[in-house]
Amino acid sequence: MVGPDMDNKTNTPSHFECDILIIGGGMAGFFAAVQAIEKGQNVIMVDKGTVGRSGFTPWANTFCVFDESLGDESESWIAGVQSKGEYLVNLDYFQMLMDDSLARYNQLLKWNIVDTRLEWEKESGISPYKYLKGHDRRILLPAILKKLGVKLIQRVMITNLLKNDDRVVGALGFHMENTVAYIFNAKATILCTGAGGYKAPGYPIHNCTFDGDAIAYHAGASIAGKDFMDFHFTGDASPWNVFEMEDEVFVNRIYPTRGPSIDGEGIGIYPIFEIHNEAPPLKTFMPEEQNLDNPTDPRSKGKSLMPKMPSGNIVMGAATGLGVHKSEGVWPVDKNCFSGIVGLFAAGDALASMICGASYPTTGMGLAGSAVQGFRAGEAATAFAVQTDLLKPINELVDLNLKQMFSPLQCNRGFNPRWVNQILLNTMAPYYILLVMHKDRLESALKQIEFMQENFSNRMKANDHHELRLVFETRNMLLTCRPSSDQSILEGGSWV
């Protein structure tokens, strides 16, 4: 192989073949794998972290459910999401959410991944960890997949999609513990890689770095811009400790929530405009609790088990770089999670399905959207795979990708990816760049990003396999952050 220790036989590439390759092991990947393998497909799931513990899925605590038996009306939900999403909602995918959310929620109930009890009582003397031990998705998700026969390959960073002519036929990456190359050959590939951020202190999504956006873009797919910023906040006393954990192991529950209402506010970033006066109180970031017309409706009655909210003044930017859920990622060309590149599908936060539009309209739409779209992507990828043969990638392109993948390990000099990441974060994190958009400031940030792309992206050096991962993560962040600052035309927004 081309790469480090070329004469070392332990570095011979590992080859895998399957019908469906799923990249990413969160909620979208989970449902995609379940649907594909239950349809008789040979499924491999590869994750650069650990299945069930990577990305956003471990931290989600709400699941939006449309249920006509509880009085839900599609017209009301559509009016609510359109008004809060500034009429930039993809109604086809929002309809998919309404059609499928209850079925997906019931599956999670069957698997004990969600808990139907209304609340945890501190007076019971039972710790939150013990209370939720039987519902820990970090344990249950991989266990269910293994039982179904899905092959899990973990700690492998995917750096390229492999193609034969205009068709995606697999992926290439390396194991982060030993730098062995992994080559996957598949009839269909589903990106469930999540969205990303710039590794800011705060919301714990540091392994999400827009990997799916980058590899899809390089394969020829269209990706969405980063026009609409995420709302997650933290406290300025200990920004890293966003959940204020003390002596308990964090295991949050998932409880059902209602859909968007035309009344009240969504979960937005509008309070940041008050920052020139004082840090806004936390309650102004959150939507008002909905009054339930039906007292038997279990939705919106649950409680998170986060012990405290962040200490100090509430500040934005805890997930710097993250967009509104489902507003970034691969741009779908149909209603079936198809990327427009033959053989390539996407779901969850890796798919720009625009079910929320320009702002997050209510809690639970992120996780529910990922479950619904994962299921639909697994269905669509299976329909494609059963009608096609397994094509091999072009050997010359595989060799070239291998050489390029390992080249940072062979550099004698170069920039440290940690330093480049920090410069990127420093450029994009200030609220007057990230949130309070102004033409002059954004143009200045864009110049900085362009310089980093041209001078740093291909000049980073890795001393080991962990730094090699950081090189690719930083490249991916640099690639996708330019649309965040290049706002010469804003949809659903305006210059301040």
Side-chain angles (χ1 to χ4, degrees), residues 70-225:
L70 294 173
D72 290 337
E73 297 177 351
S74 59
E75 294 83 1
S76 175
W77 278 46
I78 291 171
V81 74
Q82 285 281 57
S83 64
K84 290 186 171 66
E86 299 188 25
Y87 296 89
L88 293 172
V89 178
N90 184 326
L91 293 180
D92 289 328
Y93 278 88
F94 186 71
Q95 184 66 49
M96 182 191 298
L97 174 73
M98 292 192 293
D99 290 343
D100 290 11
S101 58
L102 180 59
R104 303 291 79 78
Y105 181 76
N106 285 336
Q107 283 183 286
L108 294 176
L109 275 174
K110 181 185 71 174
W111 291 315
N112 279 328
I113 294 172
V114 295
D115 180 13
T116 57
R117 289 172 288 185
L118 295 184
E119 59 185 35
W120 161 65
E121 297 292 346
K122 290 185 178 180
E123 294 76 13
S124 69
I126 300 175
S127 72
Y129 179 70
K130 183 178 290 185
Y131 173 81
L132 288 176
K133 188 174 181 181
H135 306 278
D136 191 343
R137 76 206 78 164
R138 300 172 302 179
I139 298 172
L140 292 174
L141 293 182
I144 292 167
L145 294 175
K146 289 178 181 177
K147 186 176 181 180
L148 289 172
V150 177
K151 184 175 182 62
L152 306 184
I153 298 179
Q154 304 176 113
R155 305 289 293 163
V156 171
M157 172 86 182
I158 297 298
T159 61
N160 299 87
L161 293 172
L162 299 176
K163 297 181 73 175
N164 186 317
D165 292 330
D166 293 328
R167 175 177 158 186
V168 169
V169 295
L172 170 74
F174 63 91
H175 199 286
M176 295 192 299
E177 304 301 333
N178 53 28
T179 329
V180 170
Y182 277 59
I183 299 173
F184 300 93
N185 192 194
K187 294 180 179 179
T189 300
I190 308 175
L191 295 178
C192 300
T193 45
Y198 304 144
K199 297 183 183 287
Y203 200 58
I205 56 166
H206 304 110
N207 62 338
C208 295
T209 51
F210 312 102
D211 302 337
D213 296 40
I215 61 176
Y217 176 79
H218 290 307
S222 296
I223 60 174

Side-chain angles (χ1 to χ4, degrees), residues 203-391:
Y203 200 58
I205 56 166
H206 304 110
N207 62 338
C208 295
T209 51
F210 312 102
D211 302 337
D213 296 40
I215 61 176
Y217 176 79
H218 290 307
S222 296
I223 60 174
K226 313 295 176 183
D227 301 283
F228 311 114
M229 291 298 102
D230 168 76
F231 69 90
H232 281 95
F233 49 82
T234 186
D236 60 5
S238 301
W240 59 271
N241 195 14
V242 67
F243 292 123
E244 284 288 319
M245 294 312 301
E246 296 174 337
D247 56 354
E248 289 289 354
V249 178
F250 182 87
V251 186
N252 211 350
R253 70 177 299 179
I254 301 172
Y255 60 90
T257 57
R258 302 179 80 189
S261 168
I262 199 167
D263 300 319
E265 300 287 348
I267 307 174
I269 61 175
Y270 56 89
I272 200 65
F273 293 95
E274 302 173 17
I275 201 165
H276 296 290
N277 299 319
E278 60 183 16
L282 175 64
K283 64 181 181 180
T284 63
F285 285 98
M286 305 302 291
E288 295 181 5
E289 186 172 346
Q290 300 175 19
N291 294 320
L292 299 180
D293 299 327
N294 183 353
T296 64
D297 190 338
R299 297 169 300 177
S300 300
K301 291 184 178 180
K303 290 184 179 179
S304 165
L305 296 185
M306 292 184 289
K308 297 179 182 178
M309 297 312 293
S311 296
N313 293 316
I314 298 303
V315 294
M316 301 296 284
T320 300
L322 178 65
V324 172
H325 285 305
K326 313 299 186 287
S327 70
E328 55 187 310
V330 176
W331 193 260
V333 300
D334 65 6
K335 304 176 185 179
N336 298 305
C337 305
F338 178 47
S339 70
I341 306 298
V342 179
L344 181 63
F345 303 82
D349 280 340
L351 182 72
S353 60
M354 297 299 293
I355 60 171
C356 298
S359 66
Y360 203 46
T362 189
T363 57
M365 285 183 63
L367 193 64
S370 291
V372 166
Q373 293 168 19
F375 183 92
R376 290 290 190 100
E379 197 170 55
T382 296
F384 173 81
V386 297
Q387 299 180 39
T388 191
D389 296 324
L390 187 69
L391 289 183

